Amino acid sequence: MAKARRQFVCQSCGAVSAQWSGRCDACGEWNTISEEVAESSGVAGGPSKAAGSKGRQISLVPLAGETKEDPRRTTGMAEFDRVLGGGLVAGSAILVGGDPGIGKSTLLLQATAMLARTGSRAVYISGEEAIQQVRMRAKRLGLADAPVALGTETNLRDILATLQDGAPPHAVVIDSVQTMWTDALESAPGTVSQVRATAQELVRFAKKSGAAIIIVGHVTKDGQIAGPKVVEHMVDTVLYFEGERGHHFRVLRAVKNRFGPANEIGVFEMVEGGLMEVSNPSALFIGERDRETSGTAVFAGIEGTRPVLVEIQALVAQSALGTPRRAVVGWDGGRLSMVLAVLDARCGLTIGGQDVYLNVAGGLRIGEPAADLAVASALISSLSGLPLPADTVIFGEISLSGSIRPVNQMEARLKEAEKLGFTHAIVPKTGGRQKPAAGNLKLTEIEDLGSLIALLSTGQKAKKQAVG
């Protein structure tokens, strides 16, 4: 019998080294390397035959040809189906990550129960909670009568044997992959080897049986799904369940989707009876804003295929420290530093020596550079102490020269703003592009930040004269 080979694996990134060290050379993390038994069977990706054996030939087919597309299976939760691209695809593998206690198990239990009520065969396997705990949650959510097959197990071999017995299910939830283990490896559950091996076997089962596998994954302190990045490459779809604990709504975001658009979001509100879908998130994000406060601007953004309006709040205050503070919630801190540098260098605004606080209201995270112009407007408003017009939306990308660059899907942003009652929009100058259809909105096109400052100053002077 061959002697088991041992290796040292980083539990953060999955890098393998021949000897132990305190710091991983691949990712730079400290005290993450542990000793594990090398993978030696096909279940973990190791060789299953002798190194000199010859493989069998596979059949090659032309690229052109007719392929039957299986219809998607909708869960009944419109926001969940929207993020998936229209519903569950047969044989797909979906990885769902999120902070502890954010509501992943609640969301998937609701989706599984609604799917089962439509006649689909749904299985929920929990490796973290007992059957009684899951039943109590289902009773609290009003889902106790749903025909969901419930099980609690962590041995992957037993789980696959159960799923393969009888008719294959349409959807299977595994909560969570870090608790699963296979006896083909001697390492403990939750290690990189176990997570990779169990995820690979679950994906293989999904492809062979046609069942949609939904895998829950824990996240690290940095907000990334724990385990090697290769796990995200194995699956078809990667979803992140986001939300601030101080806010009552949650955002389900697709960061990878082979069957639909990436960066699509679904919005849910956490209520006493579970997660309730929010069909119009723009009204939620800007519904409680203060219309007469300086330092606020309404940004018209695009999340996936959905236009979303959100309020951006900025506060510029005199710093009492030698090094001014920069606090950012919901936006990229590096992007804020760039906007501040452009305002200082190109517009002569002395913001560099002051504390700057930036917040995206409601807890939504914005990643697109089209928010640059709205952030700059909020900073200018806070610095001058003059509020922006309440009926105005702003979007545009700022270059290092101070010019304003056009952004994509301008018409969708303007339509969403008009639908919510806005009458004015400050947008980049389209140049040679076709001017977007604005409906009844009044468009003000600007070329650079100097034009923005002049426009805001003129508007505030006119408002003061009208009041006087």
Side-chain angles (χ1 to χ4, degrees), residues 2-17:
K3 183 179 179 181
R5 182 173 60 88
R6 295 187 175 275
Q7 59 189 8
F8 298 89
V9 183
C10 175
Q11 304 303 308
S12 178
C13 67
V16 180
S17 56

Side-chain angles (χ1 to χ4, degrees), residues 70 73 89-92 168-171 204-213:
D70 294 331
R73 192 173 298 274
V89 177
S92 63
H170 294 122
R204 186 179 304 170
F205 169 77
K207 303 304 179 185
K208 289 183 177 180
S209 66
I213 298 289

Side-chain angles (χ1 to χ4, degrees), residues 433-448:
R433 299 185 182 183
Q434 182 179 2
K435 190 173 181 180
N440 296 324
L441 281 176
K442 176 186 177 183
L443 290 186
T444 301
E445 297 182 328
I446 58 176
E447 293 182 335
D448 50 35

Side-chain angles (χ1 to χ4, degrees), residues 11-313:
Q11 304 303 308
S12 178
C13 67
V16 180
S17 56
Q19 60 183 3
W20 184 89
S21 62
R23 183 175 182 269
C24 177
D25 295 332
C27 64
E29 294 290 334
W30 289 88
N31 300 323
T32 59
I33 297 179
S34 61
E35 184 180 6
E36 296 182 7
V37 177
E39 301 167 354
S40 58
S41 64
V43 69
S48 58
K49 295 184 178 181
S53 62
K54 186 178 180 180
R56 64 178 179 86
Q57 292 184 351
I58 63 174
S59 60
L60 302 177
V61 297
L63 184 62
E66 295 183 1
T67 302
K68 181 181 178 181
E69 294 186 3
D70 294 331
R72 293 178 182 265
R73 192 173 298 274
T74 58
T75 63
M77 299 183 71
E79 292 295 300
F80 188 68
D81 293 334
R82 178 190 183 94
V83 178
L84 293 175
L88 293 171
V89 177
S92 63
I94 303 164
L95 182 61
V96 180
D99 294 333
I102 203 68
K104 302 185 297 296
S105 299
T106 300
L107 172 68
L108 295 181
L109 184 59
Q110 288 184 239
T112 307
M114 296 181 70
L115 182 65
R117 285 173 173 172
T118 62
S120 301
R121 294 184 297 276
V123 179
Y124 190 98
I125 304 295
S126 177
E128 300 182 346
E129 298 177 294
I131 290 180
Q132 187 62 26
Q133 291 178 282
V134 180
R135 284 176 172 174
M136 290 174 60
R137 179 186 293 116
K139 184 178 180 181
R140 175 172 56 85
L141 300 176
L143 306 173
D145 60 337
V148 176
L150 176 63
T152 57
E153 183 55 63
T154 58
N155 189 324
L156 182 64
R157 187 184 300 274
D158 296 341
I159 294 174
L160 293 180
T162 304
L163 296 178
Q164 292 168 357
D165 185 21
H170 294 122
V172 180
V173 175
I174 303 295
D175 188 8
S176 67
V177 70
Q178 276 80 11
T179 62
M180 302 296 154
W181 61 278
T182 173
D183 52 10
L185 298 176
E186 295 184 8
S187 53
T191 58
V192 168
S193 300
Q194 287 284 1
V195 170
R196 181 171 56 238
T198 53
Q200 181 179 356
E201 282 298 299
L202 289 170
V203 172
R204 186 179 304 170
F205 169 77
K207 303 304 179 185
K208 289 183 177 180
S209 66
I213 298 289
I214 305 176
I215 307 172
V216 178
H218 295 312
V219 297
T220 62
K221 60 182 179 180
D222 297 328
Q224 303 296 323
I225 294 179
K229 208 67 176 177
V230 69
V231 175
E232 297 189 21
H233 299 324
M234 291 179 186
V235 298
D236 301 305
T237 304
V238 179
L239 309 179
Y240 277 91
F241 203 40
E242 306 170 351
E244 299 292 338
R245 294 186 179 274
H247 295 93
H248 57 280
F249 69 89
R250 304 287 186 264
V251 175
L252 183 65
R253 185 185 303 272
V255 297
K256 171 189 174 182
N257 195 349
R258 291 173 179 165
F259 306 110
N263 294 324
E264 189 68 83
I265 66 167
V267 183
F268 301 86
E269 184 178 5
M270 180 65 77
V271 297
E272 185 177 354
L275 291 165
M276 184 178 66
E277 301 174 69
V278 178
S279 58
N280 188 4
S282 296
L284 174 67
F285 292 138
I286 65 174
E288 300 177 357
R289 67 191 184 98
D290 193 344
R291 298 173 180 267
E292 297 298 330
T293 302
S294 62
T296 62
V298 178
F299 165 61
I302 295 290
E303 296 290 340
T305 60
R306 162 183 279 169
V308 177
L309 268 61
V310 64
E311 182 185 41
I312 294 180
Q313 303 169 348

